[in-house]
Amino acid sequence: MSTFVDDFPAEAKVVRSSMYNAFVALAIGALMGILQTLYRTDVFHFISAEQYYTVLTAHGVFMVISFTIWFLVGVFAWAVISSLDRGVEDLRFTWAWFGFMTVGTLLAAIAIFGGFMSDPPEVLGSELSADVLFTFYAPLEAHPFFYIGLVLFVVGTWLAGADWFRSYLAWRSENPGERIPLPTFMVLTTMIMWYIATLGVATSILVFLLPWSLGLVDTVNPTLTRTLFWFFGHPVVYFWLMPAYLLWYTLLPKLAGGRLFSDPLARVVFVLFLLLSTPVGIHHQYLDPGIAEGFKFIAMTNTMFLLLPSLLTAFTVVASIEHGARQRGGEGRLGWLKALPWKDPVFTGMIFAGLMFAAGGFSGMVNAGMNINYLVHNTLWVPGHFHLTVGTAVALTFMAASYWFIPQLTGKQLVGRSIALVQVVLWFVGMVFMTNAMHRTGMLGVPRRTAEPWYDGFEYAGNVAEHNFQIALGGTILTLSILLFFVVILLTLLRGSKGGVEGSSIPEPLSGPDHSPAVIDNLKLWAGIAIVLVIMAYTLPLASIVERGGLFGPDGMRSFPSGNPGFLEYTSLFVQMVIQNATEVIFR
Amino acid sequence: MQIHNYEKMWLVAALVLIVAIIATITYGTVGLGIAMVDDTEDTVDPGALEEEDGFDDPGVTQVGENEYDVHVIAYQFGYDPGDEVNGEIQIPEDSEVNFYVTSRDVIHSFSLVGTNVNTMVVPGEVAAITAEFDEPERYGIICNEYCGPQHHDMEGIVAVVPEEDFHLFTLEDVEAPDEVELGDDATFDVTVSSDHYDERTTTATFEAENETTGEEVEVEEELTFDGHDTAETTFTVDTDDFGTGDFDWTVTVEDEIESGSVAVLEELEEDE
Ligand code: HEM
Ligand SMILES: [Cu+2]
Ligand SMILES: [Cu+2]
């Protein structure tokens, strides 16, 4: 059995490079993470209160845009290439999307890190900074580089998706009538979801925020850009999660010593995610004025049904693992647990990630409970929730999977297996401390996204200091865990001996694809239904938001910080006139 | 499609769970009447809030026997009223309060710590949220949405005060002279407003004292308001009684005080 790099050396290089980029983002994100943790728990202030928000922007963007999505493109490229068993159609195209994503990341990084300067320079007519957090709610305004960077990054992912569809179509013409291999099926359904979802953020940036930050239009409608953000912002959480699910469905059963329980159910799950991920974004806006309660209610019910594919996943994954354990000789009601390969950091890391996800699912149900949301919205409860989900279910799965991928992608054996095992356990422990205390302080009303959540006028009704200690302790353990992760990765890259790496093939599921009707593989059908659902969920809310606040917002809306008019202002005067006249003609 | 029996049971259980959660939330909304912040309020122009009803004069207004409207403007980085600069929001115990909150700049929140009064505040929109307050207590208002570099300094207070300490009379203005000629009357025009919804009376007290002569006066005037209303009254000091030199005065309405001093001169200098 051969490794991925033996079979596809050129492609392995792209996958490897994507993952290295993810690791760089993870390192930066983790550094920011510990800085802000120590600051807001009042343990140590390495930064100023104003810089806190630059740090937080960097933490958010590098963790959940760069780290997760760079790793995702690596996993997806591997999944498509290995499951179709064919190289990419055109390697230059593959490197092109890689290039787009890289340039996009760099531009956004330059804008964000500009914020660390005490007096950021003027570039293109506005101050080089982007202290807007990863949600960039207008009328807080970032430097144009930030928005351009995000657009290039997203375009890169679109092209990556095109690359995989191209591979699929080429495979299809040579294999008419065959079922789509499961990993490819997962990638394609996820990418369709992604294309639909990113339309929201692309519209928000290209039509409103970028022209506004360049001074081409004067105002924006904050509810509109916010709604378009969350149109993308909820499905993006499933975008982070799907590569983890893909690994839980494919790699995990194999590591447990068995095979996936049910291929058909796995397909159903991914179809459900495609259909339900997008028409729910308004659940992030339960407490927004200007949006009717009815729309919020619809988003709430859709969200609850979105629990279904995750609950089904829990079943299939556990069943597959149990099957694996019994193949390895495990016996008894729970005794089979002992037969599992707990010493394997890849396996153990993923299992811990899955356990944490179950906990995250419960706090997620609370968030999603429309009227309960009043109690937790924007409190530290929410970061508590998503460090369980994206911060552990996704991030820990990715780190654990890296111990499997790096050997596959370099041909080198993993060095420091026991350090790796300690690393994944530390992550679990650190997160238990940090997220538990975050949830609890959140219940006391301690706000998220706040450098100094202590106030002159009142005291919280609880022992915040003790919880803060746990948050700081958890954060420190997590930082240690990240350091160990890099030790293992670097040792492997520098010292790993070539050869002897187990092959990357994934065993056939117990219940194969022929047990599901062929219609499940009809991607066009699912894409069509998904689009119809999105149109149904968003047409009326968007129309009402535009009717209330205007397409470009009320006249009295200003920008913050309102950058000095630069030379671009003059060059853009003409364009501005044209746009204004055009909007006048169209919308009056 | 082949579905294992255990899978089927799990599927059914999952669906039951989902439907049960939705039913609970629906009960909370319909049965308990926990309404969501929504689109029932008209939009406002964030650049011209001084022209918007309620936000032209933000603060507390009584609208029913135990019911109060509170208009609040959130801004970078405070609340008007609520914060230290603009003064805390006071409401009486056992009252129902409708908060109307908007922003004149970026997105903020208006969140009473430890309660479920928590809403986003979006420029151009008005967040309306109703809460009931029983016991006297001080609630912290905080902004839990990042709104700029001093976001963490954004705080205020909603003080629920005992019925007897509560009033909505405002001493709007006292028009007083700086100096008067001996023998002339010094007049003090006092304007008081009431934000109570019904007919109310309060007392305006005028005190003046010449510290050198020890001469002093104290006058009380009953003011009557018919709902949201202003009342005016004039206090007069006969300077012959006080003699020359400075005298200090104060006007008191409930716990609101305004004060100053007047110079009584032999002869007024003609400037201009
Ligand atoms: C070293 C490990 C980590 C530490 C110590 C850490 C710590 C924190 C803390 C304390 C906050 C709350 C800050 C605030 O709201 O004021 C936060 C926010 C956040 N974290 Fe982490 N975190 C870590 C890892 C991660 C990972 C792995 C991810 C995702 C892959 C992640 C994603 C986020 C996001 C999206 C936010 C919210 C940013 C925002 O509100 O704009 N974090 N983190
Ligand atoms: Cu969501
Ligand atoms: Cu704020």
Side-chain angles (χ1 to χ4, degrees), chain B residues 158-190:
Chain B
V158 170
V160 183
V161 299
E163 186 68 52
E164 58 272 19
D165 296 345
F166 182 78
H167 69 85
L168 286 175
F169 301 111
T170 315
L171 179 52
E172 299 281 352
D173 188 39
V174 180
E175 220 169 286
D178 291 331
E179 40 192 37
V180 275
E181 200 168 290
L182 188 66
D184 285 355
D185 281 349
T187 55
F188 299 82
D189 297 325
V190 175

Side-chain angles (χ1 to χ4, degrees), chain A residues 53 131 296 311 374 456 548, chain B residues 10 35 37 41 125 146 152:
Chain A
Y53 302 105
D131 296 342
K296 296 176 178 174
L311 289 168
Y374 276 119
D456 297 332
R548 291 176 69 81
Chain B
W10 182 264
V37 182
E41 297 303 309
E125 295 285 352
Y146 168 67
H152 46 271

Side-chain angles (χ1 to χ4, degrees), chain A residues 66-80:
Chain A
S66 312
F67 164 58
T68 48
I69 297 181
W70 272 115
F71 201 88
L72 173 145
V73 293
V75 172
F76 278 12
W78 160 80
V80 169

Side-chain angles (χ1 to χ4, degrees), chain A residues 37 40 72 91 177 215 303 328 355 401 451 471 495 540 567:
Chain A
T37 303
R40 66 165 291 144
L72 173 145
L91 202 61
T303 306
R328 297 165 67 102
L355 275 179
I471 293 175
R495 295 276 177 81
L540 291 178
F567 73 90

Side-chain angles (χ1 to χ4, degrees), chain A residues 230 233-235 237-238 277 280-281 283-284 303:
Chain A
W230 286 116
H234 190 79
V237 313
Y238 287 100
S277 290
V280 298
H283 70 206
H284 291 263
T303 306

Side-chain angles (χ1 to χ4, degrees), chain A residues 30 33 36-37 40 52 56 59 63-64 133-134 386-387 390-391 395 427 434 438 448-450 475 478:
Chain A
Q36 76 203 13
T37 303
R40 66 165 291 144
Y52 183 91
L56 187 56
H59 181 72
M63 282 301 194
V64 296
L133 309 190
F134 82 102
F386 61 64
H387 282 90
V390 67
W427 190 269
M434 187 168 94
M438 279 176 155
R448 67 182 286 202
R449 300 185 147 181
T450 301
L478 289 169

